[in-house]
Amino acid sequence: MLKPGLPKLIATDLDGTLVRSDDTVSAYTHEVLEKVRSAGIRIVAATGRGPRLTSLVRNDIRVADYLVLAQGGWVLDQAESRYLRQSRLPGWVLADVLARMESVAGPLSVMFEALEHDDSPLWGDFDPTWRYPVTVEARTRVECCSGEVIKAFARSFRMGVDDLLAIARRVVPADVATVTQAGLDYVEICPANVDKGTGLAVVAEAVGVDPADVLVFGDMPNDLPMFGWAGWGRVAVANAHPELLAVADDVTLTNDQDGVAVFLDRLLSR
C-alpha cells in the first residue's frame, strides 16, 4: 500500500516503463517529471542500459539527479559528474557462469558489454534479433573473457528467456554473479551483488534518504530487487511482466499510455 504524503525520492526504469514502444518519451511525461523535481523530490533513472548509453539515458529522463546504470552496477552523480559505483565482472567468473548455464541449457549466443564510453560497441556474437541499433565487434568468447566486463547478454537458441532465466537462477550462485532479464530475450549476467536495489542504495546513502521514502516504477524481473528495497511504494505499469505485477503495490497505465506520468500527476494533485 502506498503511504500518505509524498516520497522523497522517485526511481523509474526506462525501457518498457517510462519510454514508449516507439522508443520516445512524451512531452507530457517530461513536463510531469519537471513538476516532480520542482516539488523537491529527487528523481533517479534506474535502468539496465550500460554507461555506453549515458547520453541516451539523459535524453529520456532530463531531470534525473542520479543515473543507476547497468542493472545497478554503475551509479552516476549527475551534479558532480562522477561515478559513485563502477562494478565489473572478472572474465574467468563469467566464463564459469556461461559454462554452468550451457551445461543445462545448451549452446548460447552471447554478447559482452565491456566499454563505457558513449556508443561503444558490444563484443561477441551479433544477433539480428537485437531490437536496438548496435555495433557488435566480433570477438571469440575466449577473447571476451580475457579481462573484466560490465555485463553479458546470453540468449538460448531453443528456449524462451524466462525458461533460461529459471535455469540461470538455479545454477548460478548469488555470490558468483547476478542473473536477470529485462525483456530483450536475453538473460543478463552482472557482477555479484549488482542489481537495481543495491544501486539505489548507493544513491540513498549519498543523499541521506531512507528506503522507506522511495517510490519506484518498473516493468520487468530486473526491477524486482528495487521493488524489494523501496518502502514508500512499488508501482508496475500495466504491461509489466507477471513476476513484477505479483509484488506491486499498485498498477498504473501502460508505458504507451504514459502510465508513470499519469500516476505522478495524480500523486502531486492529491
Side-chain angles (χ1 to χ4, degrees):
M1 178 179 292
L2 299 179
K3 294 184 177 182
L6 294 173
K8 294 181 180 178
L9 186 149
I10 291 170
T12 181
D13 170 57
L14 298 182
D15 299 301
T17 302
L18 193 77
V19 179
R20 298 180 294 190
S21 299
D22 63 359
D23 298 330
T24 65
V25 177
S26 72
Y28 169 64
T29 292
H30 285 303
E31 290 169 7
V32 171
L33 290 175
E34 290 280 3
K35 288 167 60 177
V36 169
R37 193 68 190 85
S38 296
I41 302 170
R42 295 181 184 274
I43 297 175
V44 179
T47 177
R49 299 178 188 175
R52 68 188 183 87
L53 298 175
T54 298
S55 293
L56 180 61
V57 173
R58 286 173 170 154
N59 183 66
D60 285 341
I61 184 163
R62 301 165 190 162
V63 296
D65 300 281
Y66 292 83
L67 307 183
V68 174
L69 305 164
Q71 307 296 7
W74 290 57
V75 178
L76 179 62
D77 180 338
Q78 295 259 76
E80 298 293 330
S81 296
R82 66 186 180 97
Y83 282 103
L84 305 182
R85 187 187 205 189
Q86 292 173 290
S87 301
R88 289 183 176 271
L89 183 65
W92 67 268
V93 174
L94 179 53
D96 175 65
V97 168
L98 292 171
R100 290 170 185 258
M101 292 172 62
E102 288 184 324
S103 69
V104 180
L108 301 173
S109 173
V110 186
M111 293 191 295
F112 301 79
E113 186 166 343
L115 306 175
E116 67 268 22
H117 60 269
D118 250 3
D119 296 322
S120 57
L122 299 178
W123 296 345
D125 307 322
F126 174 73
D127 188 341
T129 69
W130 187 262
R131 71 175 295 260
Y132 298 108
V134 67
T135 299
V136 180
E137 187 177 300
R139 294 196 182 197
T140 67
R141 188 175 298 185
V142 171
E143 290 175 316
C144 294
C145 291
S146 63
E148 295 181 325
V149 302
I150 295 170
K151 62 176 178 173
F153 305 85
R155 184 173 73 87
S156 171
F157 295 99
R158 63 184 182 86
M159 67 179 64
V161 64
D162 285 336
D163 291 331
L164 182 60
L165 178 59
I167 289 172
R169 285 170 170 170
R170 189 169 73 247
V171 303
V172 180
D175 60 352
V176 172
T178 300
V179 294
T180 190
Q181 74 103 338
L184 292 175
D185 293 328
Y186 279 81
V187 166
E188 298 192 23
I189 305 165
C190 301
N193 198 41
V194 161
D195 59 50
K196 292 188 181 183
T198 60
L200 284 175
V202 171
V203 174
E205 182 176 357
V207 299
V209 170
D210 191 277
D213 293 314
V214 179
L215 167 64
V216 294
F217 294 88
D219 75 313
M220 293 301 293
N222 64 320
D223 297 315
L224 287 169
M226 73 174 181
F227 270 47
W229 175 83
W232 196 92
R234 298 159 289 263
V235 180
V237 285
N239 53 288
H241 190 282
E243 285 192 7
L244 206 71
L245 291 170
V247 298
D249 296 314
D250 207 339
V251 178
T252 187
L253 300 175
T254 69
N255 62 323
D256 288 331
Q257 297 170 308
D258 295 330
V260 172
V262 169
F263 188 94
L264 290 174
D265 215 358
R266 292 173 179 168
L267 183 64
L268 291 175
S269 301
R270 76 180 188 179

